[in-house]
Amino acid sequence: MSRAKIYVGNLSSRVMQEDLEALFVRYGQIQKAEIKFGFAFVEYYDRRDAEDAIDKLNGYEFKGARLAVEYSKGPRVDGPRIPPRGGQGMRVSCENLPLDTPWQDLKDWARKAGNVTFVDVWNNRDGRCANGVLEYASRTRLHHK
């Protein structure tokens, strides 16, 4: 068996830990489930169970929100996935992040300032911290807070 971690986006703030687990355990044995702010991660012991959950629950209406369920991208090592730059966007580097920072957390935080078009997080080679990069759609529409 190979483990698989999935990302659950667009999670209602009304969803509690036991609600999440009860919904996802229908598709297999869960190793771990973590609720964040507006999203969650669910890790299955068996990749086939994760595939079933993704197939059945992506787009599923749950507690007033339509879930976005997909494989978690996880942290990267040795450097970012940098898309080609285009338009009038603004790229920002983030350094010295906690090692376990998921790209989704960085994107949620960055949205407070404007429309985010790209985010990636990777672990430093020394293993002591993580770095990230994010890109905003427009420099002129950023909200400084």
Side-chain angles (χ1 to χ4, degrees):
M1 276 192 291
S2 62
R3 295 180 182 174
K5 187 175 185 179
I6 59 177
Y7 166 77
V8 182
N10 200 32
L11 196 63
S12 168
S13 60
R14 298 182 306 182
V15 175
M16 305 308 263
Q17 184 75 26
E18 54 272 6
D19 300 326
L20 182 72
E21 291 174 1
L23 179 64
F24 280 86
V25 76
R26 296 177 192 172
Y27 302 98
Q29 187 178 6
I30 296 171
Q31 179 189 2
K32 184 178 179 182
E34 296 179 84
I35 292 181
K36 303 290 187 176
F37 184 74
F39 65 94
F41 292 104
V42 177
E43 190 167 348
Y44 284 97
Y45 285 103
D46 190 328
R47 184 169 206 78
R48 293 170 296 185
D49 296 336
E51 288 173 13
D52 290 344
I54 291 168
D55 288 342
K56 302 291 185 200
L57 297 176
N58 187 37
Y60 180 76
E61 182 84 19
F62 187 59
K63 300 254 183 188
R66 190 166 303 282
L67 299 178
V69 183
E70 62 189 45
Y71 283 108
S72 173
K73 293 177 175 59
R76 298 181 61 86
V77 178
D78 294 328
R81 299 172 289 121
I82 303 291
R85 286 190 77 157
Q88 300 298 314
M90 179 176 166
R91 187 166 288 168
V92 178
S93 294
C94 304
E95 297 178 352
N96 208 22
L97 299 168
L99 276 175
D100 61 349
T101 302
W103 66 268
Q104 294 93 340
D105 282 358
L106 183 58
K107 185 172 186 177
D108 288 342
W109 173 81
R111 281 184 179 140
K112 296 173 188 172
N115 182 20
V116 179
T117 59
F118 177 81
V119 175
D120 194 20
V121 173
W122 65 94
N123 292 337
N124 276 352
R125 291 180 189 182
D126 64 11
R128 293 189 309 207
C129 64
N131 289 333
V133 63
L134 53 99
E135 191 167 299
Y136 289 98
S138 170
R139 179 184 301 249
T140 58
R141 291 192 177 179
L142 288 179
H143 309 287
H144 302 285
K145 294 183 181 185

